[in-house]
Amino acid sequence: MKSVYLLSGLLLSASLAVHADEGQWQPHQLAQLQAQLSAKGINLPGKQLADLSQYPMNAIVSMGYCSASFVSPQGLVITNHHCAYNAIQNNSTKDNNLIENGFLAQSLKEELPAGPQERLYITESVTDVTAEVSGNLGTDISGKARFDAIEAQRKALIKACESDDNTRCAVVSFHHGMEYFLIKQLMLQDVRLVYAPAEAVGNYGGDIDNFEYPRHTGDYTFLRAYVGKDGKPAPYSVDNVPYQSSNFLKVNADGVRAGDGILLAGYPGSTSRYRLADEIAFAANWQYPAQVNTYQQMINTIERLSAADADLKVKYAARVKSFNNRMKKLQGLLDGFKVTDIHAIKASQQQQLVDWVNASASRQGYQQSIAALRKVIAAEQAFSKQTYYFDAAKRSDMLQAAMQLYRLAQERQKPDAEREMGYQERDIKMITSRLARLERSFDPKMDLAIWAGQLAEYLAQPETVRVAELDNALGLGAGMTEAQLTDKLQALYQHSSLISSDGRKAWLDKTVADFEQSDDAFIRVAVAIAAKNLALEAEEKALKGQLSKVRPAYMQAIIAYNNTQGKPVYPDANGTLRITYGSVDGYPAADGVYKTPFTSVKGLIAKRQRDYPFNAPQNLVDAYQAGNTQGFYYDSLSAKTDTSWTCRLFNCPAARMQPFNSVPVNFLSSADTTGGNSGSAVMNGNGELVGLNFDSTYESITKDWYFNPEITRAIHVDIRYVLWMMQYVDNAQNLLDEMHIVRQ
């Protein structure tokens, strides 16, 4: 293994040329970006940011799907309200709806379990293991054999890394298989809900304002990590004590102003910056429209059934919120593709790459890699079309549970090292937690309705897409209506032990023979389609194996070419720790429309309506109108001398420099973010917390494919609003006293 600080010279030289604020950098790359950081007004040395054992990176944590950060020595964590939505929903009932009412624990004893699945992960080390994973793979090995060889190496490295139950390791592909890094994390298993504002604050504007700006959303929540009395991570217990987080962010109550440089650290999920133009066309013309239709059907079903059922509304609140968010992002991507011809931009970039390759005989190997990649991508897209509706037809929580349990029984017949990843002994606790989580997020009526809708769509597809094993197991026929499907499927829920938490748990230790001899309705379906699932999985692995051979070669061509062009080279986002930087900055949203970088409580109240989602709480309005706005959280000047990127290209409106005279709520920056960055710490040049990332503007959604510095903006909760809410509205003085709050 070699240290991450010894990155290849090619990558280092390319990374020195950063354009605008594009780039989701691996921490070790920051040491090579000192000039860019200094130009932004970042006072922290790049070498310090590259060191995960030093401030502030040692305070940044992952939730597995969102980002967060420690803000006190007692394990207090801040993240987004929407990231903690599952924890809030897990503790809500129709009679005590914490989603609507909010929650504040005034003491440690009042803090609530976030839920069986919730974890916090602290990244301790990142090590380059490319040589171990793929260095010995010959050029003649491809397809599933290549995939299996890579997986075997990954599993061996993970096993050696995970010295105890509190360590979680992963071997992650960077640059689409060109490099592999071993990520070692400390896993904290006892996470508790501490403080969440009412939904009228945390989700102010709802889905109407999602991905929109101006925005006035208090998207923040506090959690706390707990450990056993011995200081080691442990499952939830009333005897556990707060985790002693010696590393935590200072909170700067002065916030930021327009033009200030900022750092943003978190765990961005996925981007597609280095994809082919063909892949954009497929997403725009087939994949995204199909997904829009699927999500819209499920949203409509959940809203229809929960409209008159408060219990269903609570149980499916987190799910429908997630679906709505994904739906709007998909619509934004499709709209963005129409406004900006990203396909044409990528095609032009691709042609420039081809021209560069053809200009030298020494580069002809790159040309072969491009042609090979196109061929594999075409096969991958055909596979996606073939399997999409079959996957949707299995969208029942009960069927998914049955399939997972049967697969676990099958994998347990093998030595642990040979099992499928996700079904090894290290995974049993998480599988158990997922099954337990259904107790708070599942209802047979809703599950049946969602499933029937998806099956109806599946049956409307050409017969070539249909799967005989599923059709036979469920007695499906072409043209069956949703109502007919509902009538037919109801019996499955009446004849399955999986409906209850105890029933699901009882299947965890069953054998393959137990499953195959069972008369449980859902188990029978899972067994009937298992062979088909495995066959499709093998086909998918073969495609991934081919991609793991041809896409790294394509990435090598891109990096070599970008090096000659002085363009940034950073890996696509993949759920690992990244740092980005930028400036507090507005943007030209449309012809004649410039959006300034801050919103305020004054604007929030002006936007207020009686009904959700603009029903700001009365105590918030009262606190503001009573004049409780002075001190740390009141900004009388919104901008300093503005040197932001936009103002170097455009004449910023005079209004941008006028007195702010209110409590800031949200602000914009040019930081490069994507999904997974929700909850990411936004820090000033000294690494002090000034906000939380929670969204992007609608015009920015296509940044997953193409970063346009003119209009790409991330939306953040201003820490001054969080502090003001805590002091004057929700009376969370106990938490204010716990944090280290500073002023410039």
Side-chain angles (χ1 to χ4, degrees), residues 371-576:
L373 178 58
R374 282 178 170 158
K375 183 177 180 180
V376 179
I377 286 171
E380 182 187 41
Q381 292 171 353
F383 180 79
S384 295
K385 285 185 174 182
Q386 182 65 36
T387 59
Y388 179 84
Y389 289 101
F390 176 50
D391 289 338
K394 296 178 285 189
R395 203 181 288 270
S396 155
D397 286 343
M398 288 300 94
L399 180 55
Q400 289 294 319
M403 289 163 52
Q404 184 177 46
L405 287 164
Y406 182 46
R407 182 65 180 273
L408 178 61
Q410 291 176 305
E411 295 298 325
R412 273 185 161 156
Q413 298 179 114
K414 308 173 187 175
D416 193 60
E418 296 178 15
R419 294 186 198 175
E420 187 72 16
M421 294 183 73
Y423 292 93
Q424 295 177 286
E425 286 304 309
R426 67 193 289 269
D427 304 307
I428 301 301
K429 287 183 179 179
M430 188 56 76
I431 292 174
T432 304
S433 295
R434 288 195 200 104
L435 294 172
R437 169 84 176 115
L438 290 172
E439 189 70 17
R440 293 278 190 168
S441 60
F442 164 80
D443 183 273
K445 296 188 298 295
M446 185 71 79
D447 194 64
L448 171 59
I450 292 172
W451 191 24
Q454 294 302 296
L455 281 170
E457 185 67 19
Y458 160 79
L459 291 172
Q461 304 309 310
E463 189 173 348
T464 53
V465 173
R466 303 255 300 278
V467 173
E469 291 86 344
L470 180 69
D471 290 1
N472 294 335
L474 295 176
L476 303 179
M480 290 181 71
T481 66
E482 196 169 328
Q484 290 172 323
L485 288 164
T486 300
D487 290 341
K488 175 176 282 290
L489 298 174
Q490 277 179 339
L492 275 69
Y493 294 84
Q494 297 164 4
H495 297 92
S496 177
S497 62
L498 298 180
I499 300 298
S500 71
S501 182
D502 288 342
R504 292 187 293 273
K505 188 175 180 181
W507 281 96
L508 281 165
D509 297 315
K510 300 287 189 181
T511 67
V512 169
D514 292 330
F515 279 85
E516 293 176 350
Q517 295 167 13
S518 174
D519 60 0
D520 183 289
F522 278 103
I523 297 295
R524 288 174 65 87
V525 177
V527 171
I529 63 174
K532 182 64 175 180
N533 286 336
L534 288 173
L536 291 172
E537 182 181 289
E539 189 175 342
E540 184 177 21
K541 287 178 178 179
L543 286 168
K544 287 181 177 179
Q546 293 177 53
L547 285 171
S548 74
K549 184 177 181 179
V550 297
R551 209 184 276 276
Y554 176 66
M555 284 305 305
Q556 288 172 352
I558 286 180
I559 290 170
Y561 173 65
N562 280 3
N563 184 37
T564 67
Q565 300 296 309
K567 293 181 180 179
V569 179
Y570 53 88
D572 264 324
N574 58 3
T576 60

Side-chain angles (χ1 to χ4, degrees), residues 215-219 598-604 660 662-667 694 716-722 724:
R215 196 75 171 272
H216 301 84
T217 306
D219 199 347
F598 287 93
T599 61
S600 68
V601 173
K602 183 191 300 183
L604 182 155
F660 195 61
S662 189
V663 177
V665 176
N666 296 152
F667 68 94
F694 76 97
H716 316 303
V717 185
D718 197 302
I719 200 64
R720 290 167 288 189
Y721 181 55
V722 177
W724 179 77

Side-chain angles (χ1 to χ4, degrees), residues 598-668:
F598 287 93
T599 61
S600 68
V601 173
K602 183 191 300 183
L604 182 155
I605 294 174
K607 205 174 186 179
R608 188 188 188 211
Q609 299 175 11
R610 186 177 69 176
D611 298 324
Y612 177 83
F614 297 105
N615 54 332
Q618 187 62 46
N619 61 345
L620 182 157
V621 177
D622 292 343
Y624 185 78
Q625 293 180 343
N628 294 330
T629 56
Q630 301 303 318
F632 285 170
Y633 325 126
Y634 185 80
D635 196 351
S636 60
L637 186 64
S638 65
K640 63 179 183 179
T641 301
D642 200 326
T643 59
S644 58
W645 186 87
T646 303
C647 283
R648 295 201 301 271
L649 296 181
F650 301 94
N651 292 320
C652 292
R656 183 171 182 167
M657 306 299 291
Q658 296 303 308
F660 195 61
N661 294 329
S662 189
V663 177
V665 176
N666 296 152
F667 68 94
L668 298 172

Side-chain angles (χ1 to χ4, degrees), residues 217-235:
T217 306
D219 199 347
Y220 68 90
T221 289
F222 288 84
L223 306 169
R224 193 185 305 278
Y226 278 73
V227 292
K229 289 183 177 180
D230 60 359
K232 297 180 180 180

